[in-house]
Amino acid sequence: GNSTERQIAFLLDTVAPTVTVNTSDALLGIGEVATLSFLFSEPPSALPEVTVSSGTLGALVVDAGDPRRYTASLTPPQDTPAAQIMVTVGSWADAAGNAGVPSLPGAIAVDTRAPAVATVTDSVAGTANATSGPVVFTIAFTEAVTGLGAEDFDLAGGTLGAVGGGGTSWTASVQPASNVAAGSIVLGLKAGAVIDAAGNPNAAVALATQGID
């Protein structure tokens, strides 16, 4: 009799899908929000759980033009010194049921604590005067900062001279005003005078008062 052969094609998919995580900002400072992007090698059959070690993660939103790509916002925690936020993608699978390759935790640097003045000392133990030369104020910050200059100080009772230093330790030289009876040098630091590595600015602060005569 006649025989008929029929060929049946099967679609085989045994490749484990992967996911790549990227961020729009690798160092988050005060007021900044990062956009995390998740690129799957194949569209996931169901969204995995994405966790962050700190901060707030927004909902995953699929790209309208690419079902493999998702994004989510990441808001860092407030008032946090230099640290890292770890991003972890949980278990997931593709349409064929192949388990996705777990992503290694991705690290995003965060620093949402503003630099501040820790201590202020000066070179004159008692009352200063114009004939004794300048008073040198040493300003120690809570972390390394940049950008300090003469224009960043508020000053009464003297004339500002050299400003120098770097990192956490800076100096400002002030020549006391002449012909002053029982007055004071009053030194202050303006807001935004310095920034830390994350770009966070300082708040305005009164630094020191030194008696002059």
Side-chain angles (χ1 to χ4, degrees):
N2 297 327
S3 63
T4 302
E5 293 183 357
R6 179 176 301 173
Q7 293 183 339
I8 302 176
F10 293 93
L11 183 61
L12 186 63
D13 180 358
T14 58
V15 177
T18 59
V19 61
T20 303
V21 183
N22 288 302
T23 177
S24 63
D25 192 340
L27 174 55
L28 292 172
I30 295 173
E32 295 182 332
V33 177
T35 297
L36 303 184
S37 63
F38 303 85
L39 179 60
F40 296 87
S41 59
E42 302 177 53
S45 58
L47 282 181
E49 181 181 8
V50 179
T51 57
V52 292
S53 59
S54 62
T56 303
L57 184 69
L60 268 68
V61 178
V62 65
D63 189 304
D66 188 349
R68 301 172 305 152
R69 189 182 301 274
Y70 288 76
T71 57
S73 63
L74 173 62
T75 303
Q78 296 180 358
D79 195 27
T80 298
Q84 289 187 327
I85 299 176
M86 307 303 293
V87 182
T88 304
V89 179
S91 60
W92 56 284
D94 63 14
N98 298 312
V101 178
S103 72
L104 295 175
I108 299 172
V110 58
D111 180 354
T112 55
R113 179 169 294 177
V117 174
T119 61
V120 180
T121 57
D122 69 61
S123 59
V124 178
T127 302
N129 58 65
T131 60
S132 64
V135 178
V136 179
F137 294 88
T138 299
I139 306 157
F141 290 90
T142 54
E143 57 183 308
V145 296
T146 58
L148 189 63
E151 69 280 3
D152 298 313
F153 292 93
D154 290 319
L155 175 64
T159 302
L160 188 63
V163 175
T168 60
S169 182
W170 294 76
T171 59
S173 178
V174 177
Q175 177 64 35
S178 302
N179 301 317
V180 174
S184 296
I185 295 172
V186 181
L187 187 66
L189 187 65
K190 297 177 181 179
V194 297
I195 59 172
D196 62 15
N200 300 318
N202 68 287
V205 61
L207 294 177
T209 299
Q210 166 67 53
I212 57 175
D213 188 353

